[in-house]
Amino acid sequence: MDGQWLTADLFAGREGERFELRRTETDVLSVTLAQVRRSAEPGGTGPEGQERTQFSLEFRGPLEPALPQATYTLEHAEIGPLMLFLVPVAQDSDSTTYEAAFA
């Protein structure tokens, strides 16, 4: 999926599905897509003129290790590998929530 113009539709209906987050070749964490948030605000225009509205993805991972904001490779069985910039936005007693935002 490298270079693909991502939209909320690609992730719609996938809440609860697992993604593998690769920190290194051998260090992989399992995270779950918790929510797809759509905005009514227009986003940018893709490389082939396609449009999208702004959206964000929320992923939940283990409480530890809590990862710093950075670009990570996430792999999904059907979507394939994605490079996403994730920001930790919340923690509760047993998980850390990360967000990826798209304009």
Side-chain angles (χ1 to χ4, degrees), residues 3-44:
Q4 180 182 0
W5 185 245
L6 302 178
T7 65
D9 290 340
L10 179 64
F11 300 94
R14 296 192 182 277
E15 289 93 340
E17 293 186 13
R18 287 182 13 172
F19 288 71
E20 300 300 317
L21 186 152
R22 288 203 172 273
R23 296 192 319 162
T24 66
E25 282 294 317
T26 58
D27 188 4
V28 179
L29 292 177
S30 181
V31 296
T32 301
L33 179 60
Q35 188 171 23
V36 178
R37 291 185 183 184
R38 296 173 185 257
S39 169
E41 296 296 320

Side-chain angles (χ1 to χ4, degrees), residues 9 12-13 15 19 41 52 54 72 76 99:
D9 290 340
E15 289 93 340
F19 288 71
E41 296 296 320
R52 69 173 172 208
Q54 296 179 31
Y72 297 97
H76 183 272
E99 181 180 54

